[in-house]
Amino acid sequence: MYANENYLIELLKEASLLDDSQIEDAGHQKKPDESLLESIVSQGIVTEENVAQTLAVNSGMEFVDLLKMPDIDPAAAKMITADAAARFKVIPIIHSGSDLIVAVIDPLDFDALDSVRHVLPMEPQFVCGTKTAIEKLIVENFGAELDASQMSSLGEDAVIDLPGGSSDGEDTPVIRMVYQILQEAYQAKASDIHIEPMEANMRVRYRIDGALHKVQEHPSDLLGNVVSRIKIMSGSMSVAEKRLPQDGRIQATFGKGELDLRVSTVPTTTGESVVMRILDKSSLTLGLDKLGFFTDDQSTIDDLIRLPDGIILVTGPTGSGKTTTLYSCLHTINKPDRKIITVEDPVEYLLSGINQVQVKESIGMSFAAALRAILRQAPNIIMIGEIRDLETASIAINASLTGHLVFSTLHTNDAPSAVARLADIGVKKFLIASAVRSIMAQRLVRTICKDCGAPTALTGKESRALNLTSEQMSGANLLKGEGCRSCRMTGYRGRMGLYEIFNIDEEVRLLINGDQSTPELRKRARELGMRTLREDGIRKVLAGLTTAEEVMRVTMSDS
């Protein structure tokens, strides 16, 4: 990647960022396909920023943190061809009058810089940026114009391998457009892609960290071809059928990662609407410590998931992270001496060492039918994707009362409401009291971007809504993201959970058996120490992990 890596390593040593012992250690741990400098960076001995700043100082250039810049000038970027940008690893970022600023990875590659001068329409001013930032900008601005070999030279995660065609120059414009949409969504870490027919155009939106962002608009006459292309890629959807909803699945690889795309089409008055849910198997982070629990809550959950029997319920609306929480619980307790079986619709991720059963209603394989079958497999632990009806609930309760630990989900607004929901399904109160060990409600909030988080203060409205005391405010670390390239100028990057844990002890069992209402259960649970979703959110605002705006968006007031 760099023209003279040995010289660059010496520069890092002169800057006291590296010593001989670290170089020797990096050489021993170097992978076969890595250079020595790549090994040094991948092991975290020096950072890409250290490398870029050292190069900048040595070359008399300015270092620019491109990830913290607003969007670069698209007119500037287009002053160089896609081929030249990928070959020389450069990207023009600002064009103002007679000034053209070009970001480069390696100022020591004089041949490349001379070549860039010849292909640009004016004399550039070079600045130095990090390898990751510049390659990311090249992909964002020229991805659809680059062939597979050029994309792979920008990193192992640059090339996506899709069924039914590639991204090479011989493909049609529609194929390249679909390729680019999937590629950009993956790069942006989107969870969903929405391709929607509007009256005058075709709108493309990505859901990133739970929020929808409009990213593209195309002429409406492209919609039919784009939808047909996606159906062909799925291999199981009918291109001819446009009157009925259809579901499909696309499996693809992106670098070394595997993608599973769940495709849904629905006919609307202006054409077919497509939603593709992206399940990135390589990015699944399992482990309770990754979900956003504070130490006290994580200790409580650790104790609960090691119980020998009973039901543990996770509640919340669609998209609140219930399945990820259950997977993390199973991952934590997955040991060779335990047999774990899940019943899911659909099986979203494959978990090593766990038997997962896919529900297929069309052939009679319902949740209840699957549960009856797996109980004959002598499992220790069972996970049910969702309790939807009395039959499923009854089998789950009977399993818990006969020595099984059962995990499942319900759709309720808070934890105490789950008792009323089970009773509404038809489960008797004494069975609920006997079988359920704990109910946890959860929501997801966006976390503050680590690259642009800065101190802030709450508005009067926010302080009143969160009902904060002066004592709480005195030790607060309030932050707010200012917006940078890393977070797409939103101020947020990533998500974490808010949790409300309602443990069913003897006193609560008496209340359930006594037919107490949900408000009474909630009141008594709080007296016994249950922290509400809003209260857990407040703790995370004061710790500088999220914002008051986010907590107010996803939780109800406790008053």
Side-chain angles (χ1 to χ4, degrees):
M1 174 54 70
Y2 295 97
N4 194 334
E5 286 199 351
N6 292 332
Y7 179 56
L8 179 49
I9 289 172
E10 290 300 318
L11 291 178
L12 292 168
K13 285 174 61 179
E14 290 177 11
S16 300
L17 295 169
L18 197 58
D19 59 40
D20 289 330
S21 64
Q22 291 173 318
I23 295 172
E24 185 177 353
D25 289 343
H28 290 315
Q29 299 182 48
K30 184 171 73 70
K31 297 176 183 177
D33 58 345
E34 279 185 330
S35 69
L36 179 57
L37 182 60
E38 287 172 336
S39 177
I40 290 169
V41 173
S42 67
Q43 293 174 45
I45 299 171
V46 297
T47 65
E48 283 194 6
E49 287 78 8
N50 295 148
V51 173
Q53 289 167 353
T54 300
L55 282 169
V57 169
N58 181 75
S59 306
M61 290 184 187
E62 180 185 352
F63 167 73
V64 177
D65 190 343
L66 295 167
L67 294 178
K68 292 187 177 180
M69 282 184 62
D71 289 343
I72 67 170
D73 181 1
K78 294 303 180 184
M79 296 183 77
I80 195 169
T81 65
D83 178 71
R87 189 190 319 159
F88 303 125
K89 308 298 188 296
V90 300
I91 183 83
I93 57 174
I94 297 174
H95 177 218
S96 177
S98 60
D99 294 326
L100 177 62
I101 298 176
V102 179
V104 303
I105 293 176
D106 185 6
L108 301 179
D109 192 347
F110 302 116
D111 289 339
L113 299 191
D114 285 342
S115 298
V116 171
R117 286 189 176 96
H118 282 100
V119 300
L120 289 172
M122 63 180 67
E123 178 64 23
Q125 175 186 339
F126 292 114
V127 297
C128 194
T130 64
K131 174 178 176 290
T132 295
I134 290 177
E135 289 182 348
K136 180 180 178 183
L137 289 175
I138 293 172
V139 171
E140 287 178 354
N141 286 274
F142 301 108
E145 302 172 44
L146 302 174
D147 63 31
S149 62
Q150 291 171 317
M151 293 293 288
S152 62
S153 73
L154 297 174
E156 64 180 25
D157 287 339
V159 179
I160 186 168
D161 182 18
L162 297 170
S166 66
S167 64
D168 60 47
E170 296 179 0
D171 285 332
T172 67
V174 168
I175 291 177
R176 290 199 297 271
M177 177 188 293
V178 173
Y179 177 91
Q180 183 183 25
I181 289 170
L182 295 177
Q183 177 196 81
E184 290 180 353
Y186 179 85
Q187 297 271 343
K189 300 189 184 322
S191 60
D192 301 275
I193 302 170
H194 294 249
I195 300 175
E196 302 162 312
M198 302 287 104
E199 288 187 4
N201 53 52
M202 178 185 78
R203 181 174 67 182
V204 180
R205 296 193 290 175
Y206 301 154
R207 188 180 297 279
I208 303 171
D209 295 332
L212 277 170
H213 301 268
K214 186 178 80 171
V215 290
Q216 299 176 24
E217 284 189 351
H218 298 282
S220 56
D221 54 8
L222 290 176
L223 176 68
N225 290 333
V226 168
V227 175
S228 295
R229 173 62 187 160
I230 292 169
K231 289 179 177 179
I232 291 169
M233 288 164 57
S234 78
S236 60
M237 302 172 74
S238 170
V239 175
E241 181 56 75
K242 300 180 181 180
R243 301 164 300 169
L244 296 174
Q246 293 189 69
D247 293 304
R249 185 172 178 174
I250 300 171
Q251 291 182 303
T253 57
F254 207 123
K256 293 182 180 178
E258 292 185 4
L259 287 182
D260 196 348
L261 304 172
R262 301 291 170 81
V263 184
S264 169
T265 64
V266 173
T268 72
T269 55
T270 51
E272 287 184 279
S273 172
V274 180
V275 174
M276 290 183 281
R277 186 179 183 194
I278 303 173
L279 301 177
D280 180 7
K281 298 176 182 179
S282 64
S283 71
L284 180 62
T285 302
L286 296 177
L288 296 172
D289 58 327
K290 307 292 195 302
L291 301 182
F293 287 108
F294 278 141
T295 305
D296 52 354
D297 284 343
Q298 185 170 332
S299 177
T300 299
I301 295 299
D302 279 333
D303 291 339
L304 286 169
I305 63 178
R306 286 172 171 81
L307 291 173
D309 55 42
I311 296 179
I312 297 172
L313 294 172
V314 180
T315 78
T318 301
S320 59
K322 300 187 295 298
T323 300
T324 300
T325 297
L326 290 179
Y327 280 175
S328 297
C329 290
L330 296 181
H331 177 75
T332 302
I333 58 179
N334 183 17
K335 306 296 181 187
D337 61 343
R338 295 171 181 166
K339 185 176 181 69
I340 302 175
I341 304 182
T342 73
V343 182
E344 305 173 61
D345 185 21
V347 174
E348 294 193 356
Y349 297 98
L350 296 179
L351 304 177
S352 177
I354 293 176
N355 299 278
Q356 295 172 267
V357 177
Q358 170 73 56
V359 168
K360 294 182 180 178
E361 297 279 358
S362 60
I363 60 172
M365 187 67 154
S366 63
F367 274 107
L371 270 174
R372 282 193 294 269
I374 68 173
L375 286 173
R376 294 192 286 273
Q377 297 277 311
N380 302 104
I381 298 162
I382 299 167
M383 188 195 96
I384 307 167
E386 182 185 349
I387 292 179
R388 300 177 178 177
D389 52 45
L390 177 58
E391 188 178 12
T392 304
S394 298
I395 297 171
I397 287 173
N398 288 333
S400 72
L401 294 175
T402 54
H404 301 85
L405 182 60
V406 180
F407 294 88
S408 191
T409 69
L410 275 177
H411 289 285
T412 62
N413 290 328
D414 60 13
S417 298
V419 174
R421 173 66 179 141
L422 287 172
D424 185 56
I425 288 174
V427 182
K428 291 181 168 48
K429 289 286 185 74
F430 77 90
L431 289 175
I432 299 172
S434 301
V436 179
R437 298 286 182 264
S438 184
I439 305 166
M440 182 174 72
Q442 70 176 66
R443 298 291 188 278
L444 292 177
V445 290
R446 292 180 291 175
T447 51
I448 296 166
C449 177
K450 290 182 173 59
D451 291 334
C452 64
T456 189
L458 297 182
T459 65
K461 179 182 178 181
E462 290 171 337
S463 297
R464 289 190 298 273
L466 299 184
N467 198 25
L468 293 172
T469 65
S470 57
E471 182 180 359
Q472 288 174 307
M473 292 295 293
S474 62
N477 177 36
L478 300 174
L479 298 176
K480 185 174 184 179
E482 295 182 328
C484 64
R485 291 196 61 84
S486 295
C487 61
R488 302 173 66 91
M489 304 308 292
T490 63
Y492 299 101
R493 192 177 184 189
R495 288 191 289 179
M496 71 186 309
L498 305 183
Y499 302 98
E500 177 178 286
I501 303 172
F502 179 30
N503 289 330
I504 311 297
D505 59 14
E506 289 303 323
E507 184 170 350
V508 174
R509 288 191 183 94
L510 290 173
L511 293 174
I512 295 173
N513 281 324
D515 209 24
Q516 292 289 337
S517 66
T518 297
E520 288 296 325
L521 283 178
R522 184 175 182 80
K523 178 182 176 182
R524 186 56 186 149
R526 294 188 67 186
E527 292 171 354
L528 293 171
M530 183 187 80
R531 187 180 297 110
T532 66
L533 289 166
R534 174 63 63 94
E535 289 166 342
D536 192 41
I538 290 170
R539 291 203 302 170
K540 287 163 183 173
V541 170
L542 298 176
L545 300 173
T546 188
T547 62
E549 179 185 15
E550 275 295 286
V551 172
M552 291 162 59
R553 180 177 66 86
V554 302
T555 65
M556 297 285 291
S557 171
D558 293 325
S559 59

